[in-house]
Amino acid sequence: MKLCEMTAYELSAALAERRVSAVEVVKAVFERIDAWEEELRCYITLDREGALAAAREVDAERAKGAKGTKGAKEANSRPLAGIPVAVKDNLSTRGLPTTCGSRHLQHYIPPYDATVIEKIRAAGMIVIGKTNMDEFAMGSSTETSGFYPTRNPWDTARIPGGSSGGSAAAVAAGEAVLALGSDTGGSIRQPAAFCGVVGLKPTYGLVSRYGLGAYGSSFDQVGPLARDVRDTAMLLQVLAGYDPLDSTSIHREVPDYLAALGGDVRGLVVGLPQEYFSPGIDSGVRAAVLAAVKVLEEGGAIIKEVSLPHTEYALAAFYLIAPSECSSNLARFDGIRYGYRAAGAPDTVTMFCRSRAESFGPEVKRRIMLGTYALSSGYYDAYYLKAQRVRTLVKQDFDKAFAECQVLVTPTTPTTAFRLGEKINDPLAMYMTDICTIPVNMAALPAISVPCGLVGGLPVGLQLIAPVLQEELLLRTAYYYEQAAAPLSHCPKPEPKPEPKPSSEVSK
Ligand code: GLN
């Protein structure tokens, strides 16, 4: 197997035993990038030099350690040292452009690292580059990126999902081993499902957002994307933990997520919310998810039908609250201190207006208008306040369901990956793709998407949802399922489209 297609866990062992060097691993990933990136476009920025330099440093450390006992110790304390990671482009990286997928920040180079970036660097992980995303994380397909869309490695005529589409496609294609994403309404889980990888949205407050480009601050969470559940647990271990720089950060000891794997699901009460298996869900997706439920049942889990009756209102409420928060968060992009500034404006206010009008894409403008309207005096009670009340009802539904069961199982998405261009001109159809993921963010819960087979050659995601801070239960259940079910082949080879022939050849 190619180095770039191995899991972080496998590579970690090979690196610790010095069967392979970090430089070799990084080179293998860049070889794959050189071969496939032109077709897939997972990245906005690549940092070949920086990655190789960091890999050399990890190798040198290991060589030093190998002389004493430090080598073994280091392998235990920094298991992900030397592992290549792709970073969503809304996470601040010192010295490396951070665009948030927007033309507004095309030339912005942050002077500081996000807390999660500090953590991955301290763990010895190698940042390969910054991945493509929907502009400011608003979207479900990477098509709202200010630069270009990313393509799904399983079928390059299709989208990889979004907004962390570049991260998911990179992991699926072997253009990275692990990746970071952010999830406001499904942006880690939905692209993970569409690309056949694992994505985890942690409990709100478990992972620091310091240095994350803010979209909907009461929902945003940073989390891992990986090829399997064990790798997901390993990366979450690095990311989780209290950060005084994020006021919503939870003060609590981080459990050992890797140790939580293993064991079975005997006696585990698994709830199936009936609203998530409605006729709106593609029949192939439903069948794949129900087959996964059967695997849990055969393992001894007790399957119970439950109801989350306010599910049908969650989407509408989300699309009032998230744009409201975004309209406030994006007010900072005024062209004064950083970001795009329109030239030639006669006064400051015109400069603000033109800078924003010229650099934001249509989806971001739509959200700012929606949010500003929902927050305006006279409409606040009717829209924003009412949406917040619905949010409470959605959360109470989950509280009631978790009184009856321990984990909820649903599809991650109502369909498999759709075609490029299919929904981009129909915002409502695009918003509907997050119908299964959004309620989880509204209730601040952790959830994971795990591949559960293919329908029409495209991956399907199984979503597991747990009560707040029960990531261990989530990972254990997902790991059990993954071990019991046949895994996907995780590196689909994107079929390059035939080159258009030069006209002279065509005429022959
Ligand atoms: N697709 C949803 C939106 O556009 C959620 C995106 C996200 O999770 N960042 O708002």
Side-chain angles (χ1 to χ4, degrees):
M1 184 188 267
K2 292 215 157 90
L3 285 178
C4 67
E5 296 188 6
M6 284 166 65
T7 63
Y9 184 82
E10 291 161 348
L11 286 170
S12 164
L15 284 160
E17 291 159 18
R18 303 184 70 207
R19 283 184 274 125
V20 65
S21 70
V23 167
E24 284 171 311
V25 176
V26 168
K27 282 191 172 156
V29 166
F30 275 103
E31 222 170 86
R32 174 58 58 87
I33 289 172
D34 290 338
W36 291 2
E37 178 62 2
E38 209 182 20
E39 184 74 11
L40 298 177
R41 311 208 81 177
C42 304
Y43 288 92
I44 293 174
T45 304
L46 286 164
D47 186 19
R48 205 178 289 256
E49 292 311 309
L52 281 170
R56 270 184 227 113
E57 223 170 90
V58 168
D59 286 338
E61 283 272 311
R62 269 221 171 94
K64 244 195 283 160
K67 290 193 188 112
T69 50
K70 206 179 146 235
K73 252 203 217 146
E74 140 108 12
N76 288 334
S77 67
R78 298 206 310 168
L80 292 180
I83 304 294
V85 60
V87 174
K88 188 174 180 179
D89 210 20
N90 57 355
L91 285 162
S92 206
T93 42
R94 183 151 49 90
L96 206 58
T98 298
T99 69
C100 292
S102 180
R103 295 229 165 247
H104 191 89
L105 294 177
Q106 187 170 11
H107 303 294
Y108 171 62
I109 300 181
Y112 74 107
D113 273 336
T115 297
V116 287
I117 301 299
E118 274 181 5
K119 285 181 176 234
I120 59 172
R121 291 201 207 278
M125 299 180 72
I126 317 286
V127 175
I128 294 292
K130 306 295 293 291
T131 55
N132 196 21
M133 55 182 283
D134 286 292
E135 187 173 10
F136 288 108
M138 296 167 205
S140 311
S141 65
T142 75
E143 289 167 294
T144 76
S145 163
F147 307 105
Y148 36 77
T150 298
R151 288 170 184 272
N152 190 318
W154 292 85
D155 177 350
T156 55
R158 291 172 191 270
I159 54 88
S163 62
S164 315
S167 286
V171 170
E175 290 195 19
V177 176
L178 297 171
L180 300 189
S182 67
D183 190 315
T184 304
S187 278
I188 291 175
R189 291 159 287 156
Q190 186 254 36
F194 284 170
C195 290
V197 299
V198 178
L200 185 144
K201 182 247 159 212
T203 299
Y204 185 75
L206 182 68
V207 176
S208 167
R209 286 113 34 94
Y210 179 71
L212 170 73
Y215 159 23
S217 306
S218 73
F219 305 103
D220 299 339
Q221 258 300 283
V222 177
L225 290 118
R227 294 210 190 99
D228 66 15
V229 176
R230 191 163 47 190
D231 278 14
T232 307
M234 288 175 91
L235 184 50
L236 182 64
Q237 197 73 50
V238 173
L239 302 179
Y242 175 68
D243 179 9
L245 296 174
D246 176 352
S247 63
T248 60
S249 183
I250 297 172
H251 216 146
R252 172 181 176 264
E253 185 119 355
V254 178
D256 184 341
Y257 294 118
L258 210 48
L261 307 181
D264 56 32
V265 292
R266 217 171 295 274
L268 181 79
V269 186
V270 174
L272 294 193
Q274 58 183 68
E275 293 78 6
Y276 286 71
F277 294 88
S278 66
I281 305 293
D282 172 87
S283 59
V285 169
R286 189 180 321 126
V289 171
L290 291 176
V293 171
K294 195 106 211 124
V295 170
L296 295 176
E297 192 171 21
E298 280 161 7
I302 300 154
I303 312 296
K304 215 171 166 180
E305 275 221 0
V306 295
S307 174
L308 299 167
H310 296 94
T311 301
E312 62 172 309
Y313 307 111
L315 196 78
F318 175 87
Y319 277 102
L320 283 166
I321 302 169
S324 297
E325 294 183 5
C326 118
S327 71
S328 157
N329 275 325
L330 267 57
R332 76 190 67 179
F333 299 112
D334 54 13
I336 295 285
R337 280 154 301 174
Y338 59 98
Y340 177 84
R341 181 184 294 185
D347 56 66
T348 313
V349 172
T350 312
M351 191 278 284
F352 283 166
C353 296
R354 282 200 203 152
S355 298
R356 291 165 70 80
E358 288 170 18
S359 64
F360 288 155
E363 185 59 31
V364 167
K365 287 179 183 161
R366 182 179 296 120
R367 305 286 179 106
I368 293 173
M369 284 191 278
L370 267 172
T372 311
Y373 184 75
L375 289 175
S376 57
S377 83
Y379 293 105
Y380 181 94
D381 287 4
Y383 294 113
Y384 182 75
L385 194 65
K386 198 163 183 187
Q388 290 288 20
R389 292 201 168 121
V390 171
R391 183 176 188 170
T392 302
L393 294 175
V394 169
K395 186 189 171 295
Q396 286 171 350
D397 279 357
F398 281 110
D399 291 345
K400 282 184 203 138
F402 284 128
E404 290 179 54
C405 65
Q406 293 161 283
V407 179
L408 292 167
V409 172
T410 76
T412 308
T413 55
T415 65
T416 52
F418 45 95
R419 288 177 190 284
L420 254 95
E422 192 178 319
K423 297 184 199 280
I424 193 65
N425 297 317
D426 184 350
L428 209 56
M430 189 69 92
Y431 300 168
M432 295 289 273
T433 67
D434 300 315
I435 202 148
C436 304
T437 48
I438 275 174
V440 170
N441 300 69
M442 297 191 81
L445 302 172
I448 191 169
S449 179
V450 192
C452 68
L454 298 175
V455 169
L458 296 168
V460 178
L462 172 76
Q463 179 173 238
L464 304 169
I465 310 168
V468 158
L469 290 174
Q470 301 230 6
E471 276 78 4
E472 289 161 278
L473 174 63
L474 210 53
L475 288 162
R476 184 182 313 129
T477 312
Y479 186 70
Y480 174 84
Y481 168 72
E482 189 185 59
Q483 298 302 302
L488 287 183
S489 117
H490 285 291
C491 281
K493 184 163 172 9
E495 290 301 333
K497 282 192 298 299
E499 289 293 320
K501 290 197 175 129
S503 48
S504 58
E505 265 179 52
V506 175
S507 59
K508 271 181 210 161

